[in-house]
Every structure is written in structure tokens, then in C-alpha cells.
Amino acid sequence: MKKFRKVLDGLTTSSPGGTIGTPSGGSAAGTPTAAPTPKEIDVQETLISENFQLCKTVRHGFPYQPTALAFDPVQKILAIGSRSGGVRILGRPGVDCYCQHESGAAVLQLQFLINEGALVTACADDTLHLWNLRQRRPAVLHSLKFNRERITFCHLPFQSKWLYVGTERGNTHIVNIESFVLSGYVIMWNKAIELSTKTHPGPVVHLSDSPKDEGKLLIGFESGTVVQWDLRAKKADFRIYYDEAIHSVSWHHEGKTFMCSHSDGSLTLWNLRNTTKPFQVTFPHGKIQKDGRKESCKPILKVEYKTSRSSEPFVIFSGGLSYDKAGRRPTLTIMHGKAITVLEMDYPIVEFMVLCETPYINEVQDPYAVVVLLEKDLIVVDLTQSNFPVFENPYPMDVHESPVTCTAYFADCPPDIIPILYSIGAKHKKTGYSQKEWPVSGGSWTLGSHTYPEIIITGHADGSVKFWDASAFTLQMLYKLKTSKVFEKPKPGEGRAAELGEEDPFAVQMVSWCPQSRIFCVVGISAHIILYRFSKYDSNTQIVSLEVRLQCDSEDIITPSENENNPCFSEPGPHSPQPHHQHPASPGSRTPEGAKDSIPCLKVKDRVVRVPPGYQSELVIQLLWVDGEPPPQITSVDINSAYGLLAFGNCNGLAVVDYLQKTVLLCISTLDLYGATDPYQRLTRSPRRNRQSTSGLTELTDNQQSTDMDRSKSPTSESRENSFSRSRSSSVSSIDRDTKEAVTTLQFGESYGRKNDVLPGPCLWVGTSLGVVLLIPMSIPIDHEERMEDSVTVGPSGAVQMLKGSVLRFAFLDCSGALIQCPYEVWRDQNAPEDSDRPRRRKLVHFSPSSSQDACGEGHLTVVCSERQAKVFLMPSQSCLFVHNITESSFVLRADVVSVCNSVCLACFCANGHVMMLSLPSLRPLMDVNYLPLTDMRIARTFYFTNGGQALYLSSPTEIQRITYTQEMCDNLQEMLGELFTPIETPEAQNRGFLKGFFGGNPQTFDREELFGEAAAGKASRSLAQHIPGQGGLEGMKVAAGGAVGELARARIALDERGQRLGELEERTALMMTSAETFSKHAHEMMLKCKDKKWYQF
């Protein structure tokens, strides 16, 4: 615990190398005109560096650019590989794990060690990895890097420790899974094919052991050659040469026939009795044309041939449609007997896998579901019902249903908000799902001790907003709101979308939500704001629309003055310009040149509409076109339910709206906010004519190539949402000549509007892109009736402080360092039936700065954070107490004042990927971690800190990554995550029966160790592959787990493994005892039989 004491005897600061209010660190700009009254502030800061540590927690959403799929039929867990080297492992809801290959190479194939708690991944850099899944955070145990050959296919037989690896050269290598070392046994391509063959068979595209005899390996080559290799005899049993390229092979469980899929859209069925030609050739989707020829079809990329006890076999394949129809959607075809069902998919199929009841390939398979991995979705089809319904997916795989354009994260919400949102959202859920339980049900998960209500809000390009329950490291959609329903559908070729080529005119740019009052505000890219209230009842509503002309006659250009590095605040004088408050003209009016003028970008519905329970629109605010120019995007917004006010700003100025009375209180340019206290000299000029494009918001989310930011540059006010292209400095001479001063942040709160104020009152804090902080006091009637009738008065009081870079965040602390919450109105349902005994009145909750200031006098602390600097100053004297220069070479993208460990701190995320924590109020650095080596615009737009030590960002266009920055949560992370591996007894193989085993069973047991071991096969060439030990053992697990919880987890895993080994030893001992008893019995019978015989009778 550290105690900070500061005597305010004029101008003092705790920041090294900086003075109060000096944006460039070398002048006295921003100096208060009057010295504050000396008083002592006693703040005890409890946060220390040891409270902070940064680590990833969970990842939600659909794996971006998926490439591979695998399923463990015993553990019932699913793995998905991606192009960026990520692996997602899914089980029952709550069991969701993300792993990342350090190389970042694409995952080509996944193979579970069935019921062993391990996974093999084959990557595009020709490396095999063995992952240990018996710990909550999987780690790599071994890696094997192939140096001279490229991996194309892998196959691991059930209950085998030898992995078959096919290569691009057509060779097949064998890897010992336990040691991850290559065997000396190699099946060379030139040995597999006939010597008379003149061409190379191509890469290996299939490997599988025969269900009839596991000593026979079926090898499929891309050219159409199929070879069955006798592993014992080291020779080919048969070779098949087919004209069409092979994509996949699937066995019948009896091992007498197999099916191949080909590039011409055909399926061939082969019988081992006659391999000279296929037993059957079918074109499932190839119709016979008038001339008698088959129409050409697309390749069948994969086929699975599965038998069933109760019905005909299933033949399931992807692709194979005819080329005749353009624009046909991807399909999965299910052939069951004579019935053919074609399932159309919304996205291309990456991979599919049939789920069967048994892990044994030589038993009747009895398929019950098909997992289909699409480019942007994961679906599971129920095969047990004739109409093949899909299962309802319990994972949040539709985060990206429309591209995510903004996020918000709220921890420790009111406990009643999640149930009520869920109850409203559940009424709009889709129906027609399978009634059976989700088949991916492996792992175990329990609700951790660190749980509290958490909500994530995502805004999307189509104008929709989704509310998600994010409690306890899970994610479940609660409620979906479509903001586009407020507007009329734009006709093709009309409106702003046609004028500017805007594809998503309803795209959500930012949101503002008050969980206590349930007031919700959405800012759209078409310069519109929609205010919503929550109601449990449906209603007939007439949407009120306000049109605001936020534009000034003169544009603000900053010019160097004689004292260009020392901008200072001047005293108010008579030359103060008057506010350019322009009232909206009638819609549809035109300028003399014929350009659009005084019309909004979108048309609000002007009729009474029936709205369902949930969030119901109350007010729409739209900025108008001016002189043929579309309105600039809104850059900041804040709403306060206690005041009944909404404020927003852009690069032209600021507007304040009374949403209770549906009136515009203030519409003023940024320049006019200063009055005579403008620190810069400006020139006027004619308005710019270049049209501003606003299409960047949605382009960022769909662009597969993320844009790398220049770490040394900062966004200007106009391009902040679209690029990191321009540089900004606090000195006037370096400011771009075309830069307007935008309103970058707004905050309502109880404060002191002027230095001589005795009591706090409602205020609006304004921060601009030039680092200026302005304060606007307001007079709001307290009585309910007066509030609805009398007008609110608003009067700017001039500049308060200056900082380096755009202002990003405001927060208020009392003089003991505790966070002061903004006042709010308690939620009331305006559509509820009237109660004459209890009339509905507004119930307000205020957190006045003076309520707890008896000990240290009146006043409060204001925290201001900009792109490069943070300041804490005392109100009402406006004296700067602490200054900290956060970064010189980069700039802050996101800053939030958060509650953590029963205290508060300032959390910052910089463009160079650093995450920083600063103590409050002293701004002492507590943590600085270089978290992300490169930051793109998607991460910059979606990064969000919240209370309780958590944050999130969009790690890809389809995935939300959550992180924690507290040591406590890092230590308890193991307890909060789900278990991937649960001890399950492997099902026993079915008894094949005497006759079946006698006539068609395995002729002898197959010992792979005897064939592939070093004693028989020798060692493989060292230059062929390199073994790389992983960190998945106890050392790696110690790094991954950390703390006492990790030690307990490791001890438990060790006990489980030891118990498993003891159980196996006990079984072997019992077998030996039985064998010994049998031998003793036979010996005793022989002794009794022979004891009376003479020697010559033998």
C-alpha cells in the first residue's frame, strides 16, 4: 500500500519531464488563471504491479478460414483447424478451447488418438505436432519436421501407435506416436506401382487399413491409382488404374468392397475379388442428355460409405453437381437406399465427417449424424430422421452473420437484465431443429466461483445489434435488434447508398448503453442516431424524427501564430464569435446548383408501426446534407437517462438533444464552443467540396488481409475511423492544414461548470481532436412536471485543459480516489398498464461528488486521457495534479477507467500493440506488456476494456478474443476452463461369432511393433525429418497452468494416469493368475493320470 499526499500550492506536477497543461512539455499553456486554494488530498492507492498480468482466456465465434475437421467418437469432442494455424476443440457447451501453432502454418489435417486425450496435427510447413489434451490448456508434446517431402495425407488406425504419413512424392512413411520418431519402414511409390508404369502416380490422397485385415494398407494416389499394400510381405496385393483422378476412398465395414470419388463427379465401387474394373460406376447428379451422353459434373471431393443395422447403407458425399446451372449453392448429398436427398448449404463445404456409434472400422457403423464444416458455419445433420433436420448449434458460431463493426463489453451488470433479454429473445428463435441432444457432448465444465453477469454487445454491417450473455467465459446470444426496421427500405438507385456507393447504409458505428435504465443508443454510418427504450409489452409507436443541420459557415483551419508552440487561452472579449446555429430546412430542398441540401441520408417510417416486446425505437436523429455534401460521420456520443439528454459530435461541431421533450437544445460548431478562449488562431475559407466516403467501416471486417498500422502515426479527426494514415502532434506547426477539429469524446456527469462554483451540477465534458477539454454546464429542472415542460439551459464555459493528441476518455473520482458513477434513471416500463395507486414517475439515482467529501472538502478529481497523455486535475479549481506521457512513438487507441481489485485504474491499448495500466490518481505505471506485435484496424475498432480485469477484441472477422489483465484471474484460469478429456472406458469390440471369425476373420493378429520397430525396420534417415521436443510435458504444463491450481491439476492428471496403469497391471495380473490356475489344474490331472503307470507304459 502506497500513500500519496500532495499540497496544491500553485502549479505542481508529479510527471517527470513535463509541466502542467503543456501539450508539448515545454510551455505553461493551460495554466489556471487563478491559483487554487491550498488544500491537502489524501489518497491511498492499493494497486501494485503484482496485481496485473496479461493472458488470453477464451475465444468465441466461428474459426476463421477453417481447413480441417476431426472427431473423437469415444470422447465426443470435435477439433477444427484453420489457415492461420489455430485449432479449436469443442465439447459440451462451456468446453471450448483454442490452441495456436507457433509457426502460424495452416492446419492440413487433424487426427485424434481416440480416447487417449491426444491430437495429431499436420501443418502446411510439413510438420506434425502431438498435442496433449489431458490438461485444460493443451500443449505440444512432440513435433516432427519433414525436410525433403511435403505431407499430403495422414492416417492413424484405432488403438495403434503408428501413424501413416503420405507425401507429395507418393511415398508413405510411418511415425511412432509415442516417441515421434520415423520408422525405417517406408513404402516407396516406385515399389507400390508396377515397374512398367511410365508415369508418376502423383501425391498420396488416401491411406486406410483394411477392415478385414489391418496388415493390409490401402493407398490412393491422385492420378487414379489405388494399391493395397501387404505390410508383412512388403509387396502389393493388387493395383487399380482408373482414368479419373481420385479425391477420396471409403471402405465397406466388411472389407470386401470400397468406394472412390472422382474428379468427373462419379462414384466407383470396387470388389476385391475382381480389381480389373469397377463393380459399379454411378454419376449421382449426371443426367443423360438428348444425344445419349452424360452431362459433365463437378468433382466429388469426399465420399463416406457407412452401413446400418436397421436400414440400407448410407452414401454421403460433397460436390458432384452438374455444370449446367450457374450460381448453384454448395451441396451435401445423402443417398440412403434409393432415396437421394440434396442439402443445399449457404457457404462452400470445407470438410464433412460422418459420426458413427462405434470406433471399430470392421463393425456395422450405424451413422447417426454428419458434421459439415463450411467456410463460415458449422452444422450437424441428424441422420436418424428421414427429413434430416439439423441440430441447434449451442456454440456462438454466428457472431459474423453480418460483419462486426463495433463492440461493447459490460461486466457486473444488473442481475435481472440477462434473464429478461433472454426471455424476449427466445420468442424469436428459429424452429424445426432436431429434437435430439447435440452430439458433440464431450468434456466437462462447471460454473466457476468468479462469476457475475456480463454482457457483450456487437454492432453489425447490416444494422443489426446483438446482445450476448458472456458470463463465466461462455457466450450465448440473448437478443437481436434490427435497427434497419426504423427506416423505409431504400429503392434501388436512390438515396445515399446510390450516391456514394454505400453498400451498408444501416451499418452500426458505435453504441451507448445504460444497463440500469436500459436506455440504448445506436449510431449509424449514415450519420443517424436511434434511441431505444426497453419494454416487456408490444406497442403501436409513431417514431419521432429530428433532423439536425450540424454545419458552420466557416471551416476551422489552424495556422501558425507568432507563438506557435505556446497556444494559450485568452480572456473572453467582445470579439467572441456568435454560435452558427442553423435550423433544418424543409426536406428535399435544393441549392441553386441543384445539389442535395437539407435532406437526411435515410427516410424514417412516418406511419404508426407495431413493435414487439424488447427494445423499441423512441427517437431518430439524422444529420442533413449541406450544399450537396453528405453529413460527416458522427465521431462521439453519450446519453444520460437521469438528465434525459443525448449529446453527439462530429468534425463540424456538437449537438445536444433533449430526448424527453424531443427538441434540439444546442447545435454549435467546435469553434463557437470556445468563445474567446480559443487557443489557436484560425482562418476562414470556403467549404471543401471533396466528398467524404464512409465505406471504410464495413470494408475492414470483410477484408481478409488485415491492414498493418504504422506505429508512429496517429489518425486525424476525419480519418480516425477509416485509416491510420496521418500524423498528429501537439505543436501547431505540425497539424495538417486540412484537419478540422472534431468532437472525439463526450461525457455527462455531476461536476463544477466554473471555477467559482460552490455546488456541483449537471455538466457535459467535451474532448476534441486537438486535445482541448471543454466544459458545458447545464441547468435541468428537478421536478418531473417541470422537466417535461420547461426547457433545459445549456451554456458553454470555454476551454479547461489541453493534452497531446485527441481526447479519448473522461472519468470522475472523489477525493478519496473512488470512482463516481454517472447519475441514471431507474428503469420503468412506459408501456406497462397504468396503476392509479402508484403513478409512474421518474426515479433518479445521483452520485454527487460532494456527498462523501466531508473529510476532504468539496470538489472531485477528473481523469482525462488522450492519444498520448493522461492528466488528473482537481475541480472546481481546474488545477492539474498529475500528468503522465503515455507514449511518444505511438498513440493510444482505447482508454478506459476500470474497477479492478477493489480499486480503479486507467487501462490503455496502444497502436503498437502495448497494453498499459496506470494507477489513479497518481498515473503511476503498473503494467506495460507488448501484447500484439501488429495491430490492424479491426482490432483497433473493437478493443474494449471492462471492469473485473477483462477485455476483448475481434481477433479475426469471425472470432472474439477475450483476455484478462489481472493476476488473480490468470491464477484461477484453470479452474474456470472446461476439461477436454474425461476418463471413459473404451467400448469393447463386438463378438464376431464362430463361423464369421472362422471363415472371414483375421487370419492372425498383426503386430505393428514387430514390423515398424527399430529392431526390424531400422532407423530412418536423419535428414528426412527432424524431431522437435515440445513443452507439453510437466514443464510446459507448468507454464500453461501456473499457481497452485495448476499443481493440483497436474497431480490429478498424474494420479489418473497412474490409476490407469495400475488398472492395466491389475488386469494383466488377473489374467496371469487365471492362466497359472489353469496350468496347475492341468498339471494335477496329468499327475493323477500318470502316477500309477510304469515307465515302459509311457
Side-chain angles (χ1 to χ4, degrees), residues 29 168 179 379 492 511 722 739 783 877 1046 1073-1074:
E168 194 174 43
S179 61
I379 65 171
V511 297
N722 297 325
T739 301
D783 184 73
S877 67
M1073 289 177 63
T1074 305

Side-chain angles (χ1 to χ4, degrees), residues 53-57 948-951 962-966 969-970:
Q53 182 184 343
L54 198 69
C55 69
K56 296 179 180 179
T57 53
Q950 294 197 74
R962 291 165 70 178
I963 62 174
T964 180
Y965 48 87
T966 65
M969 189 166 285
C970 288

Side-chain angles (χ1 to χ4, degrees), residues 459-494:
H460 299 265
D462 64 352
S464 61
V465 177
K466 294 180 181 179
F467 290 75
W468 306 83
D469 178 8
S471 309
F473 285 167
T474 61
L475 195 70
Q476 182 181 14
M477 196 172 83
L478 296 171
Y479 176 75
K480 182 178 179 180
L481 173 68
K482 295 181 179 179
T483 64
S484 60
K485 289 188 174 182
V486 173
F487 303 100
E488 301 284 1
K489 289 184 179 180
K491 296 178 181 178
E494 292 185 8

Side-chain angles (χ1 to χ4, degrees), residues 424 479 481 486 518-520 530-541 543 609-619 829-831:
I424 298 294
Y479 176 75
L481 173 68
V486 173
R518 303 181 189 175
I519 295 282
F520 186 53
I530 311 173
L531 180 69
Y532 290 91
R533 284 186 183 270
F534 188 84
S535 175
K536 294 188 290 184
Y537 304 92
D538 57 1
S539 66
N540 295 316
T541 304
I543 303 171
V609 292
R610 186 168 185 82
V611 289
Y615 273 104
Q616 301 170 352
S617 56
E618 178 172 303
L619 177 66
D829 197 333
Q830 292 190 328
N831 295 335

Side-chain angles (χ1 to χ4, degrees), residues 130 163 260 430 526 660 823 1046 1086:
L130 178 64
L163 174 73
C260 301
K430 295 179 182 178
S526 297
L660 296 178
M1086 183 68 85

Side-chain angles (χ1 to χ4, degrees), residues 368-369 380-385 387-393 430-439:
Y368 60 89
V380 181
V381 181
D382 186 355
L383 292 179
T384 61
Q385 299 182 45
N387 59 339
F388 303 128
V390 298
F391 290 88
E392 184 176 6
N393 197 326
K430 295 179 182 178
T431 57
Y433 293 111
S434 171
Q435 299 301 312
K436 295 194 174 182
E437 290 187 3
W438 179 254

